[in-house]
């Protein structure tokens, strides 16, 4: 995927407008705090989404989501256009959000007490979702390399051999922004097939993969993935639609497809009508230019963050993510304790996500949301910088 040279970066809304929002990002803390924790962005909606939602409101089109709607086809076309992945729309089912999709799948592929492998540091709700499904998490941390992170295939194989029944994959990975290679995902698929393990791949950050970095959907990584894999995806992270409640569950093989088709109709009926309409608009070609502009903005911000950390927080360790707008920053060298975000919130009035929530691998770390204006990012780093040597 390449970005057209005529593409313009997407500009964030002014801070005074953002503080009029009533979502979690803007209501959790007082107005003197810069919120850079939860995964919401500060950009206006893509025009096609705004148009679709305004039309629905004007029509009063706010009833139940129809069983016959264009979402599956829109996702399949998006996957082909953006990832080069051929998806059968008949193998796509919707639900309210990615978390719900994960739980509903885990409930059907595990028994109470079964172990589900996760790869910390990882999105904190993964631990809760596994528990909600009645299973138990087994942690096989990512391996830190000189240039990033990768799956510990030897550790994963050992967990499978010891009886783990499922694997909850984050692809691309949150919080590191790692885009797992096709080779690594293919090896994972072969291991899972050999041990009879099912893989559930959370691909919510996939649309935010930077140009020049190939994103590999798990179900497309190897033939084995089709028969043991499930993908759960949404437009919500890329297009800031979390409050509209719409996601898709995708399968490619007959056995996984049968599991998803066998879910109660209510799982699909939880899809929001406005969420479906917004997602179809987000996934349409009409929104491609906006998404490309967002990727351009995020590329500028991830590079700016590296410069700001070097200037204001020498000793911080940071590898720019290949996907998303979340940065994983190691502040251990600054000596601010297990959870440096607590001191930063108290003394600098900047809210980062608490690192230890992602697992023990997050001790001394913070997760920074840079889906904002460069001015907000700069002010945040300047504020935190005042704590150095203080």
């Amino acid at each position: 995927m390449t970005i057209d040279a005529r593409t313009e970066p997407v500009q964030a809304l002014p801070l005074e407008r953002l503080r009029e929002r009533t979502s979690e990002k803007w209501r959790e803390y007082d107005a003197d705090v810069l919120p850079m924790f939860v995964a919401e962005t500060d950009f206006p909606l893509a025009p096609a989404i705004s148009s679709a939602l305004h039309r629905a409101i004007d029509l009063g089109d706010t009833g139940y989501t129809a069983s016959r709607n264009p979402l599956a086809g829109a996702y399949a076309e998006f996957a082909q256009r953006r990832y080069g992945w051929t998806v059968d729309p008949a193998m796509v089912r919707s639900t309210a959000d990615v978390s719900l999709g994960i739980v509903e799948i885990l409930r059907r592929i595990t028994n109470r007490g079964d172990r589900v492998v996760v790869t910390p540091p990882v999105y904190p709700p993964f631990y809760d979702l596994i528990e909600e499904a009645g299973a138990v998490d087994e942690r096989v941390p990512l391996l830190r390399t000189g240039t990033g992170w990768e799956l510990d295939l030897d550790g994963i194989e050992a967990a499978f051999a010891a009886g783990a029944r499922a694997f909850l994959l984050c692809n691309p990975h949150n919080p590191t922004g790692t885009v797992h290679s096709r080779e690594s995902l293919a090896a994972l698929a072969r291991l899972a097939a050999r041990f009879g393990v099912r893989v559930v791949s959370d691909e919510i950050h996939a649309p935010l993969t930077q140009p020049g970095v190939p994103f590999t959907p798990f179900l497309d990584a190897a033939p084995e993935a089709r028969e043991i894999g499930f993908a759960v995806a949404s437009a919500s992270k890329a297009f800031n639609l979390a409050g509209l409640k719409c996601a898709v569950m995708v399968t490619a093989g007959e056995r996984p497809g049968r599991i998803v088709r066998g879910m109660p109709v209510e799982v699909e009926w939880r899809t929001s009508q406005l969420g479906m309409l917004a997602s179809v608009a987000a996934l349409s070609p009409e929104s491609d230019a906006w998404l490309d502009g967002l990727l351009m903005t995020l590329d500028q911000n991830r590079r700016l963050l590296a410069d700001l950390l070097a200037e204001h927080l020498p000793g911080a360790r940071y590898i720019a993510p290949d996907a998303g707008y979340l940065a994983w920053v190691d502040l251990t060298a600054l000596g601010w304790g297990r959870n440096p975000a607590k001191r930063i919130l108290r003394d600098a009035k900047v809210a980062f996500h608490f690192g230890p929530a992602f697992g023990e691998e997050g001790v001394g770390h913070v997760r920074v949301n840079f889906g904002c204006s460069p001015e907000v990012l700069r002010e945040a780093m300047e504020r935190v910088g005042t704590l150095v040597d203080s």
Side-chain angles (χ1 to χ4, degrees):
M1 184 188 70
T2 58
I3 291 180
D4 192 297
R6 297 168 294 180
T7 300
E8 293 291 331
V10 175
Q11 303 296 321
L13 293 171
L15 194 55
E16 59 271 18
R17 284 294 307 280
L18 291 166
R19 292 201 181 278
E20 295 178 25
R21 290 181 172 179
T22 61
S23 60
E24 170 68 4
K25 184 175 184 180
W26 300 99
R27 286 296 178 266
E28 178 65 19
Y29 298 108
D30 294 336
D32 60 342
V33 173
L34 286 179
M36 305 179 77
F37 64 113
V38 71
E40 298 180 25
T41 59
D42 296 353
F43 308 103
L45 290 177
I49 297 173
S50 294
S51 177
L53 292 175
H54 281 296
R55 176 172 170 75
I57 297 302
D58 290 343
L59 289 172
D61 189 12
T62 52
Y64 293 111
T65 304
S67 56
R68 295 170 60 187
N69 68 68
L71 179 61
Y75 180 78
E77 292 173 6
F78 181 88
Q80 185 69 62
R81 200 170 63 247
R82 304 291 295 197
Y83 313 144
W85 176 32
T86 300
V87 172
D88 180 355
M91 304 292 273
V92 178
R93 291 288 186 275
S94 69
T95 192
D97 56 34
V98 164
S99 291
L100 180 60
I102 290 171
V103 169
E104 293 294 347
I105 293 169
L106 286 177
R107 282 175 174 155
R108 286 157 179 82
I109 63 174
T110 61
N111 296 314
R112 181 160 297 278
D114 280 351
R115 286 177 286 120
V116 178
V117 176
V118 292
T119 54
V122 76
Y123 181 54
F126 271 19
Y127 306 119
D128 296 330
L129 300 178
I130 292 169
E131 181 180 3
E132 183 179 348
V136 179
D137 67 79
E138 178 163 352
R139 307 183 187 194
V140 181
L142 292 179
L143 294 176
R144 179 71 182 262
T145 70
T147 57
W149 292 263
E150 61 185 30
L151 297 173
D152 179 1
L153 293 170
D154 290 339
I156 291 167
E157 180 176 10
F160 290 175
R165 302 309 305 148
F167 185 100
L168 182 49
L169 174 68
C170 204
N171 178 42
H173 195 85
N174 172 8
T176 65
T178 302
V179 178
H180 300 298
S181 70
R182 178 174 291 276
E183 294 75 18
S184 180
L185 294 175
L188 171 62
R190 289 190 290 270
L191 283 174
R194 174 149 60 95
F195 288 99
V197 171
R198 305 287 177 84
V199 177
V200 184
S201 183
D202 174 352
E203 300 186 353
I204 198 169
H205 293 275
L208 294 170
T209 303
Q210 283 291 330
V213 179
F215 169 71
T216 301
F218 177 73
L219 296 179
D220 195 44
E224 293 86 349
R226 298 169 61 88
E227 293 305 322
I228 50 87
F230 304 79
V232 191
S234 174
S236 63
K237 285 294 183 285
F239 294 91
N240 206 44
L241 304 177
L244 294 183
K245 295 300 177 184
C246 180
V248 293
M249 299 174 289
V250 186
T251 54
E254 178 53 36
R255 283 177 294 178
R258 192 162 55 244
I259 289 171
V260 173
R261 288 193 302 271
M263 291 180 180
V265 68
E266 286 298 328
V267 173
E268 193 157 10
W269 268 60
R270 291 170 186 150
T271 308
S272 157
Q273 168 73 348
L274 292 180
M276 182 275 293
L277 294 170
S279 296
V280 169
L283 298 170
S284 73
E286 191 177 354
S287 292
D288 280 355
W290 185 93
L291 180 56
D292 289 343
L294 176 63
L295 290 171
M296 184 179 291
T297 298
L298 298 180
D299 181 39
Q300 294 170 355
N301 281 359
R302 65 178 181 159
R303 297 172 189 274
L304 174 61
L305 179 57
D307 294 338
L308 292 170
L309 288 170
E311 179 180 358
H312 298 288
L313 294 174
R317 298 176 66 199
Y318 159 68
I319 298 172
D322 285 330
Y325 48 81
L326 305 171
W328 189 236
V329 183
D330 183 354
L331 300 180
T332 305
L334 299 180
W336 292 351
R338 283 180 54 86
N339 193 357
K342 285 188 173 181
R343 183 189 178 193
I344 291 169
L345 176 60
R346 183 188 68 233
D347 297 339
K349 302 298 182 184
V350 177
F352 296 146
H353 206 308
F354 292 176
F358 296 80
E360 277 300 304
E361 296 72 20
V363 168
H365 291 66
V366 296
R367 192 188 75 174
V368 179
N369 180 341
F370 59 84
C372 59
S373 70
E375 291 78 18
V376 167
L377 186 58
R378 188 172 287 108
E379 181 180 345
M381 291 303 115
E382 289 174 353
R383 288 189 188 189
V384 178
T386 63
L387 304 183
V388 177
D389 299 326
S390 65

